[in-house]
Amino acid sequence: MKVEFIENTPTAIRFNISGVDVDFVNTLRRIIISRVKTFAIDKVTFYINTSSMFDEYIAHRIGLIPLITPTEGYDEKDEILFNLDMEGPGTVYSKDLISTDKNVRVAFDDIPIIKLAEGQRIKLDGKAIMGNGSKSAKFQPGLATYEKKDEQNYEFYIETFGQMSAREILNKALEIIEEDLKATEKELK
């Protein structure tokens, strides 16, 4: 196996990988989109919503906002609370979601959630949990694709949605593959 990086930035990596078959690159792609864990707001409790939008619609939008997910120190048992209390007129942005944990926060401040008119108010709490893309697309850390160049030679591309760097996504996916192989080896003994 040989790997040669073409692009390597915090938001995207592109590399040629040779000496492998399609099964390996497709496994890597599928692990990235379905098993790398990230935080996402999963439950939203509304206390006040006098906006023109239903609670469920706003909760869905909030759930899709990428949250910075540290690669160490957190697991599936952790819950991070977010608070939002805004009154119109004005636009409510992702930066208005205030986290109770300084390490887990919105990845991008300027994602619009809802526009409030004069006198409209929204007050809510959101609970972020860790999950993976097999549970819901809101937990996917990014996108992963590959293109076959020739026999056993592929160009692989990873782009982050903002929860962690593209390189961290790759490293986490490789750790998952390694853990799965060790578990399989243990079962075969």
Side-chain angles (χ1 to χ4, degrees), residues 32 36 141-142 158-160 164-173:
I32 288 169
V36 173
I158 302 169
E159 184 176 330
T160 181
M164 58 186 73
S165 73
R167 188 59 175 249
E168 289 171 325
I169 293 171
L170 176 60
N171 291 341
K172 282 292 183 187

Side-chain angles (χ1 to χ4, degrees), residues 11-41:
T11 58
I13 56 176
R14 183 183 311 271
F15 56 91
N16 283 326
I17 184 167
S18 58
V20 296
D21 59 19
V22 69
D23 297 335
F24 178 80
V25 291
N26 194 46
T27 297
L28 181 59
R29 180 189 68 81
R30 290 175 61 96
I31 295 287
I32 288 169
I33 62 175
S34 67
R35 294 197 42 212
V36 173
K37 294 182 177 178
T38 65
F39 276 106
I41 295 176

